[in-house]
Amino acid sequence: MKVLVIGAGNMGLTYAEGMADSAILNKHRLKIYDTDPKKIETLRKDSRFLVYDNLEDCLPKADIVFIAVKPYHSDGLFNNMKSMLNGDQIFVSLMAGVTIETIQEKLKVKKVVRSMPNLPAQVGKGVTSYTESKEVSKVELIMVRTLLDTTGTSIHVNTETFIDASTGISGSGPAYVFYFMQSMLEAAQKMGFSDYDSKVLVSSTFEGAIELFNQNDISPKSWIDKVASKGGTTQAAIDSMEDNNVKQLIQDAAYAAFDRAIELGKK
């Protein structure tokens, strides 16, 4: 199985490293293509990769092609790619908002898997939702899922609507968490804690809460009830959030990302 990653940006390189470090490729080095001379120079020092700056040298013989460029770069890339392809290749898109139909039409191919990764893939904790065109067989889909799982876990969804929806939850979601963390950090610093102590307080609180959630079959609402006693400090904080409609604002933010993903697909 010859795997090519097109684009060595944050997400492309994350998947390239995850796949290269796994046993899946059976000692065959992963192929990676980019146009940035500095990136190419750095990548060529890494023995895990075969690095290319010319598509003709790597694309025609690839079995599975991960496309990890910014959506606004896709048209130019597709124009360069389409004369080098064959009907047996599988294309896995990591691009937000670019539909399966768009990729099929512009590349004149049939086998396309559309996915939505997220940033924690960089530390092996990513979650990737994915769906496929009808021409992708079950065996081929298992192969793709195995590759996606090298950066964390993956979730198969039935339609591209769920890919757009997962953009609003998991794709953009880490930024929501960081936004909340930043707010808590600033609150801790205003209370007089040092930068270091503020970071420990916030990061350990998040890590502990996530671990409790993952290790028990209890809803977040139930955990809130366990922490918040009537008339206590936690309840005062929750009441403040409820009074300021924070829950609805968070949901509105997730839908804003979802709606934007749909808009990008239409463009």
Side-chain angles (χ1 to χ4, degrees):
M1 181 171 58
K2 299 180 180 66
V3 179
L4 168 66
V5 174
I6 295 178
N10 286 335
M11 204 51 68
L13 188 56
T14 292
Y15 275 84
E17 290 175 337
M19 291 184 285
D21 289 338
S22 71
I24 296 169
L25 300 183
N26 193 26
K27 297 182 180 180
H28 291 287
R29 286 194 288 172
L30 183 139
K31 302 175 188 294
I32 189 165
Y33 164 84
D34 202 273
T35 58
D36 186 325
K38 290 184 178 179
K39 284 184 181 178
I40 291 168
E41 182 182 358
T42 300
L43 289 169
R44 282 181 172 156
K45 297 175 183 176
D46 193 325
S47 61
R48 295 174 296 177
F49 304 131
L50 292 170
V51 184
Y52 298 87
D53 58 6
N54 188 336
L55 279 174
E56 292 180 354
D57 296 333
C58 56
L59 181 55
K61 295 182 179 179
D63 300 311
I64 300 179
V65 180
F66 281 74
I67 304 175
V69 301
K70 297 294 185 183
Y72 54 83
H73 288 153
S74 61
D75 282 346
L77 174 66
F78 291 163
N79 285 334
N80 292 335
M81 289 174 63
K82 60 186 179 183
S83 64
M84 310 175 198
L85 309 178
N86 65 71
D88 293 326
Q89 291 171 306
I90 304 166
F91 298 88
V92 183
S93 169
L94 301 176
M95 299 179 291
V98 183
T99 66
I100 288 174
E101 183 180 9
T102 295
I103 296 169
Q104 288 177 318
E105 288 181 354
K106 295 195 173 183
L107 289 181
K108 306 303 180 187
V109 296
K110 295 296 183 183
K111 298 180 181 182
V112 178
V113 176
R114 182 181 168 193
S115 67
M116 173 44 58
N118 70 353
L119 193 61
Q122 292 186 359
V123 291
K125 295 289 186 179
V127 58
T128 304
S129 58
Y130 68 99
T131 194
E132 76 286 356
S133 62
K134 66 180 186 297
E135 291 83 2
V136 178
S137 71
K138 289 184 178 179
V139 172
E140 290 169 334
L141 196 61
I142 290 171
M143 290 168 53
V144 170
R145 176 167 192 162
T146 303
L147 293 170
L148 293 174
D149 282 347
T150 61
T151 60
T153 190
S154 58
I155 299 173
H156 180 260
V157 296
N158 292 327
T159 69
E160 289 186 80
T161 299
F162 286 105
I163 297 292
D164 292 326
S166 66
T167 301
I169 303 299
S170 59
S172 299
Y176 316 156
V177 176
F178 292 135
Y179 190 93
F180 201 96
M181 290 179 75
Q182 183 64 35
S183 300
M184 289 181 66
L185 278 168
E186 291 176 10
Q189 290 161 356
K190 288 178 181 178
M191 292 175 185
F193 290 101
S194 67
D195 289 353
Y196 175 80
D197 287 347
S198 296
K199 181 177 180 179
V200 171
L201 284 168
V202 173
S203 63
S204 296
T205 299
F206 269 79
E207 185 177 3
I210 292 296
E211 197 65 26
L212 282 172
F213 179 69
N214 285 337
Q215 290 190 12
N216 297 273
D217 189 20
I218 300 175
S219 70
K221 175 64 171 63
S222 297
W223 279 115
I224 292 172
D225 292 340
K226 285 179 178 291
V227 179
S229 56
K230 185 176 180 179
T233 58
T234 305
Q235 191 60 54
I238 297 299
D239 288 345
S240 175
M241 292 184 199
E242 290 291 322
D243 290 344
N244 287 284
N245 211 23
V246 172
K247 182 190 294 185
Q248 187 61 52
L249 292 174
I250 292 171
Q251 293 175 3
D252 289 347
Y255 269 95
F258 177 24
D259 292 341
R260 180 57 177 158
I262 294 173
E263 288 174 10
L264 289 172
K266 291 177 179 178
K267 289 182 180 181

